[in-house]
Amino acid sequence: MTLTVTNNAPVAGAERILTAEALGFVEKLHQKFAATRDGLLADRVTNRQKAVASGGLDFLPETKHVREGDWKVAPAPEKLQDRRVEMTGPASPAKMAINALNSGAKVWLADLEDASTPTWPNVIDALANLTAAARGELSFTSPEGKEYRLRTDAPLATVVMRPRGWHLPEKNIQVDGQPAVGALVDFGLHFFHNAKYLLERGDGPFYYLPKTESYLEARLWNDIFSFAEAELGLPQGSVRATVLIETIPAAFQMDEILFELRDHASGLNAGRWDYLFSIIKYFREAGESFVMPDRASVAMTAPFMRAYTELLVKTCHRRGAFAMGGMAAVIPNRKEPEVTEQAFAKVRADKTREANDGFDGSWVAHPDLVPVCREIFDAVLGDKPNQVDRLRDEVEVTAAQLLDVSSAQGEVTEAGLRLNLYVAVAYTAVWISGNGAVAIHNLMEDAATAEISRTQVWQQLHNKVTLADTGNTVTRELVERILTEETEKLRGEINDADKFAKYYEPASKLIADLTIGEGDFVEFLTLPAYELVS
C-alpha cells in the first residue's frame, strides 16, 4: 500500500501536520481498516433495502442479550464529567477556534464534518489549529491588528473533535491511487500529533463520531481506537468517544453502539437535524406515512422525536454514559434586539425541555448563547456535574413509536417547498465557496439543513404530494419553476455577478440534479458537492 499527498503546503504550518511519521500512521490505519469501512458502507445499502421491503425497522433480535445485559461504559475522565454547555463550530479559521475555546462552554465540538467544507486548506488549517491549541500556543492577529489569544482568566472549553463521517473521501491523500478515507485522515493526523499531549493534561483525546448507522460501525471505531493507542504506546481506554445518534437505524441500536465502545464510550448525542434527514432518506419511497410536514413545523415535541430523545436519555443513563442534547440553531443578532430576544426565548424553551428530560448538557452554535444554556442546566443540575443518576426507568419506547412520522403536526406547503429550495441552494453555494457554517435567516445552518431540504423535495415529488396552501401537486415542472425563482431571488440578494456565477449557479444545478434529476438518489449532498470544491 502506497500513500501520496497531492499538496504538502496548502496552508502555512502544514509541514507541522503532514510529517512523514504522521502520514505513515494514516497509511497504517488504511492498511488495517479501510476495507472494513468499505464493507460497512455496502451494508448500509443492503440494510436500507431490507427495511423498506419489510415496511420498517425493529430492535435487533441477535443483540437482545446486549440490551438486557447488566453492563456499563468506562467511567468518564474528569474533563468530561461536566458537559452542561457544548459550543459547536469549525476549527478553521483560527479566530473561530479561539472564540470557541474562550466561549465559557464546558466543551467545544471542534468540527471537521458538517460545519466545515473539507477543502484541503480547511482540513489542514483545522488540524494545525487544534495541534497549536493542544499545546496552548494558538493565537491570531487580524489584518486590522486585532489580537486573539487563549484566555488565562478562566478554563478553556475541552476539545472534542468530530472527524468526517465514514462516507466522505479525502482526495488530496491518495492510497494506492484512490482517495483516502476522510475519517481516517482526520482522526489519524489529530491523534498522532495530539493524543499524548492531551492525555498528559487530562484533556483528551476525545472525539465525536458522526453518521453512525450500526453497532458494527461503532465496533470499527473501537478497533481503530485500540490500535491507535497501542501504536503510540498509550494506555488502552485513553480515547473517549461520544456517538451522534443522527440516523434512524442507530436509534434502534443505542445499547449496542455503547456496548461496542464501552471501554472508549463517553455518551450519545441527539443529532436532531441529521436524524430527520436520515428518516426521510431511509424511507423516501416507503409511502405517505413517512412523508414529513414542512421541516420548520417538525418540533422536538413531535411524538416520534420525543420517543427518540427519551430512549436516548434512558439508554445512556442506564449504562453510565452522558446524554447530550441537540443543536440550538437560532443565533442572536446584536444589531436587532428583537431578533436576539426571540432567539434567547427559543433556546430557553428548547434547553429547558432537555434539562428536565434528563439530558446532561446540550449544544449551542453561538458564544452569546452559552450563558443562556448554562443558566438552564445550572437550575436543574445545581452543584452536580451531570444527572446520569436519573435513570428514567418509567420510559418505554417501541419501534412503532420511533417510526410514527405520521403523527407529526403540520402540513406540506408550497411555502415550505420554496423555503427548502432557497435554503438548499443558499447553503450549498456557501459550502462550495469553502464555508460550512452559514447564517441563513438568523439560523446557523450546516450540511444537515441542506440535506433535509433537498431530501424533502425529492420525497414530496416522488410521492406526488398535494400542497396544503395552494392545492398544487408537487411535480417536476413545479419544482423546476420554483427552483428557478428562488435562484433568481438569490441573484438579487447576492448582487455580485462573479460570485453568483462561481458558486450559486453550480449550487442551483446540483440541487436540481438531486431533486428532479433522472439518476439514482444520491445518499449525501456533500459527495457531489465535494467534486465542486478545489
Side-chain angles (χ1 to χ4, degrees):
M1 181 173 284
T2 303
L3 183 147
T4 58
V5 181
T6 62
N7 180 1
N8 284 292
V11 293
E15 70 281 356
R16 189 177 183 182
I17 303 303
L18 297 172
T19 64
E21 295 80 8
L23 292 170
F25 180 66
V26 171
E27 187 174 352
K28 287 181 181 179
L29 292 176
H30 280 79
Q31 287 172 339
K32 194 162 183 65
F33 301 110
T36 303
R37 170 263 197 182
D38 294 344
L40 289 171
L41 289 184
D43 288 346
R44 288 182 177 184
V45 176
T46 304
N47 292 339
R48 194 194 78 83
Q49 291 170 342
K50 290 178 180 177
V52 172
S54 66
L57 286 163
D58 206 343
F59 299 98
L60 301 176
E62 65 266 28
T63 55
K64 184 178 180 181
H65 65 285
V66 174
R67 293 191 300 278
E68 295 181 351
D70 184 17
W71 54 269
K72 292 185 181 296
V73 303
E78 182 180 351
K79 287 293 184 74
L80 290 181
Q81 287 284 341
D82 188 337
R83 304 176 64 172
R84 67 188 68 198
V85 188
E86 297 196 344
M87 178 75 191
T88 75
S92 174
K95 173 185 171 181
M96 290 189 69
I98 294 167
N99 287 341
L101 287 163
N102 291 345
S103 66
K106 294 290 186 180
V107 164
W108 170 38
L109 185 157
D111 197 6
L112 273 72
E113 204 231 4
D114 269 5
S116 177
T117 305
T119 64
W120 193 224
N122 279 354
V123 170
I124 300 304
D125 189 52
L127 291 165
N129 291 337
L130 292 174
T131 299
R135 291 154 177 79
E137 300 169 356
L138 184 60
S139 64
F140 173 72
T141 302
S142 73
E144 299 76 29
K146 184 176 181 180
E147 293 187 350
Y148 295 81
R149 297 284 186 272
L150 298 177
R151 68 191 301 174
T152 57
D153 61 329
L156 299 174
T158 297
V159 174
V160 180
M161 192 273 268
R162 178 163 68 166
R164 280 169 280 185
W166 282 128
H167 60 289
L168 287 168
E170 176 46 71
K171 62 187 177 184
N172 294 284
I173 292 184
Q174 300 277 316
V175 180
D176 289 343
Q178 297 298 314
V181 178
L184 295 181
V185 171
D186 297 346
F187 167 77
L189 292 175
H190 180 266
F191 187 88
F192 182 86
H193 288 297
N194 299 301
K196 289 182 179 179
Y197 285 90
L198 294 168
L199 188 62
E200 287 170 1
R201 295 188 346 207
D203 284 327
F206 304 143
Y207 297 94
Y208 257 110
L209 306 180
K211 306 291 188 292
T212 300
E213 291 200 11
S214 74
Y215 72 91
L216 293 177
E217 293 181 19
R219 179 182 294 173
L220 173 58
W221 269 120
N222 194 70
D223 291 344
I224 289 168
F225 295 152
S226 294
F227 173 82
E229 289 162 345
E231 193 72 13
L232 269 64
L234 301 182
Q236 288 292 300
S238 296
V239 171
R240 286 294 187 276
T242 305
V243 181
L244 289 116
I245 301 300
E246 55 184 351
T247 70
I248 185 62
F252 287 84
Q253 300 180 44
M254 295 188 206
D255 271 307
E256 293 90 333
I257 287 168
L258 285 174
F259 182 78
E260 293 294 340
L261 283 158
R262 60 193 179 278
D263 293 333
H264 294 111
S266 177
L268 303 176
N269 173 278
R272 61 179 70 172
W273 305 120
D274 268 298
Y275 187 71
L276 290 173
F277 158 55
S278 175
I279 294 174
I280 299 167
K281 177 175 70 171
Y282 218 75
F283 295 106
R284 57 185 179 266
E285 73 275 68
E288 291 184 5
S289 62
F290 284 100
V291 174
M292 283 192 195
D294 292 348
R295 63 182 174 85
S297 65
V298 182
M300 293 303 294
T301 52
F304 76 103
M305 295 300 282
R306 290 289 292 160
Y308 153 63
T309 55
E310 295 214 306
L311 179 60
L312 189 148
V313 172
K314 178 181 180 177
T315 303
C316 284
H317 289 183
R318 183 185 175 203
R319 304 307 182 184
F322 299 109
M324 303 308 302
M327 173 69 79
V330 293
I331 54 175
N333 186 328
R334 293 167 182 171
K335 297 179 181 178
E336 298 182 32
E338 184 177 335
V339 170
T340 296
E341 187 49 45
Q342 290 174 354
F344 284 0
K346 289 179 179 178
V347 172
R348 285 192 183 95
D350 186 55
K351 302 312 174 192
T352 298
R353 173 190 53 77
E354 289 180 331
N356 289 337
D357 281 350
F359 281 95
D360 300 292
S362 193
W363 285 5
V364 296
H366 194 283
D368 287 358
L369 296 177
V370 169
V372 181
C373 184
R374 184 172 57 229
E375 173 193 333
I376 299 300
F377 276 88
D378 283 351
V380 172
L381 296 177
D383 294 332
K384 295 167 56 179
N386 55 66
Q387 50 184 336
V388 173
D389 58 347
R390 188 177 169 199
L391 297 181
R392 299 301 311 273
D393 288 333
E394 78 282 6
V395 170
E396 294 293 337
V397 174
T398 66
Q401 288 173 318
L402 287 170
L403 297 173
D404 186 19
V405 174
S406 61
S407 66
Q409 297 296 306
E411 299 173 320
V412 181
T413 68
E414 191 163 307
L417 173 62
R418 187 174 292 277
L419 179 63
N420 275 341
L421 290 167
Y422 174 95
V423 169
V425 175
Y427 178 83
T428 303
V430 180
W431 194 93
I432 292 170
S433 76
N435 183 5
V438 184
I440 302 176
H441 298 165
N442 296 308
L443 295 174
M444 184 61 74
E445 309 288 20
D446 69 9
T449 307
E451 293 284 29
I452 298 171
S453 299
R454 64 95 180 183
T455 310
Q456 271 208 307
V457 174
W458 191 99
Q459 186 187 45
Q460 292 162 8
L461 173 61
H462 284 261
N463 283 277
K464 298 181 174 59
V465 171
T466 300
L467 300 169
D469 53 344
T470 63
N472 291 329
T473 299
V474 180
T475 62
R476 191 179 190 281
E477 292 72 26
L478 179 66
V479 172
E480 193 169 26
R481 174 175 64 79
I482 293 177
L483 177 59
T484 299
E485 292 171 358
E486 294 305 303
T487 302
E488 288 305 305
K489 180 180 177 181
L490 282 162
R491 185 194 299 272
E493 293 174 356
I494 298 307
N495 198 27
D496 182 330
D498 291 340
K499 182 178 179 181
F500 188 84
K502 188 173 183 180
Y503 302 122
Y504 287 80
E505 287 179 359
S508 182
K509 182 180 184 305
L510 177 57
I511 296 304
D513 290 343
L514 295 178
T515 54
I516 57 178
E518 298 296 333
D520 293 338
F521 180 88
V522 176
E523 290 292 315
F524 292 97
L525 175 155
T526 46
L527 289 172
Y530 184 52
E531 298 306 313
L532 300 176
V533 302
S534 56

